[in-house]
């Protein structure tokens, strides 16, 4: 049996996969990576002011440290105004938003029934263990067990999901 058909399929598959790869650097420079409505980035002073609005102990969180701790969350959540929902909802404007109220996202019945609004204390409970807070939620995140890690993430979320003052 000839190996030519298998070789042709292999080369064709390789060519298709190569077309899906990153663009050459010359093409990337011409393509904007930020949406036109990208939010202004808070200066360090503005970030500090936003974090100061959180109640204790969350006002001691470090948003820069929280950004790193949020990295796994970014697989499921976006933070920009008008950003897409992914596996989880877009989190821009999270503070003060009613639980399960983003019309463009299909929340679990359990979270819809939970009620309430998102504030620092509620977010703290949620990210310590979503399933413990709302049994039946679809969020499979196991939770952040360290209180300081949660404070840092909450500080980061406050800065990243709020309009710049």
């Amino acid at each position: 049996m000839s190996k030519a058909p298998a070789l042709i399929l292999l080369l064709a598959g390789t060519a298709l996969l190569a077309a899906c790869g990153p663009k050459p650097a010359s093409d990337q420079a011409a393509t904007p990576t930020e949406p036109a409505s990208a939010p202004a980035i808070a200066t360090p002073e503005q970030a500090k002011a936003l974090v100061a609005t959180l109640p204790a102990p969350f006002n001691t969180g470090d948003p820069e440290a929280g950004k790193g701790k949020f990295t796994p969350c970014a697989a499921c959540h976006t933070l920009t105004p008008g950003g897409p929902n992914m596996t989880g909802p877009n989190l821009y404007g999270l503070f003060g938003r009613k639980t399960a109220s983003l019309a463009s996202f299909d929340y679990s019945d359990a979270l819809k029934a939970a009620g309430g609004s998102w504030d620092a204390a509620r977010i703290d409970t949620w990210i310590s263990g979503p399933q413990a807070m709302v049994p039946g939620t679809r969020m499979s995140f196991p939770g952040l067990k360290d209180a300081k890690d949660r404070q840092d993430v909450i500080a980061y979320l406050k800065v990243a999901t709020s309009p710049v003052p």
Side-chain angles (χ1 to χ4, degrees), residues 58 70 73 77 88-89 91 94 99-100 105 107-108 110-112 114-115 117-145 150 153-154 157:
F58 309 107
F70 183 82
C73 310
H77 296 281
L91 298 179
L94 177 64
T99 304
F105 188 76
Y107 295 93
S108 67
L111 194 58
K112 289 177 190 174
S117 295
W118 294 111
D119 61 16
R122 186 176 185 93
I123 295 167
D124 182 54
T125 303
W126 178 253
I127 65 176
S128 70
Q131 290 287 337
M133 179 178 162
V134 181
T137 184
R138 289 191 302 249
M139 188 165 164
S140 60
F141 178 64
L144 286 173
K145 302 308 174 200
R150 293 193 310 271
V153 168
I154 290 166
L157 286 172

Side-chain angles (χ1 to χ4, degrees), residues 7-129:
L7 181 59
I8 291 171
L9 286 173
L10 177 65
L11 291 174
T14 303
L16 285 172
L17 288 174
C20 295
K23 295 179 181 180
S26 61
D27 288 346
Q28 289 179 359
T31 305
T33 56
E34 292 288 329
S37 63
I41 296 174
T43 65
E45 295 79 21
Q46 291 168 324
K48 187 175 180 180
L50 283 166
V51 171
T53 67
L54 294 168
F58 309 107
N59 59 358
T60 64
D62 177 354
E64 283 302 312
K67 182 177 183 177
K69 293 170 185 138
F70 183 82
T71 301
C73 310
C76 297
H77 296 281
T78 59
L79 303 176
T80 57
N85 295 317
M86 295 172 30
T87 302
N90 176 286
L91 298 179
Y92 190 81
L94 177 64
F95 287 82
R97 185 163 74 197
K98 289 185 179 183
T99 304
S101 66
L102 193 62
S104 60
F105 188 76
D106 183 29
Y107 295 93
S108 67
D109 290 338
L111 194 58
K112 289 177 190 174
S117 295
W118 294 111
D119 61 16
R122 186 176 185 93
I123 295 167
D124 182 54
T125 303
W126 178 253
I127 65 176
S128 70

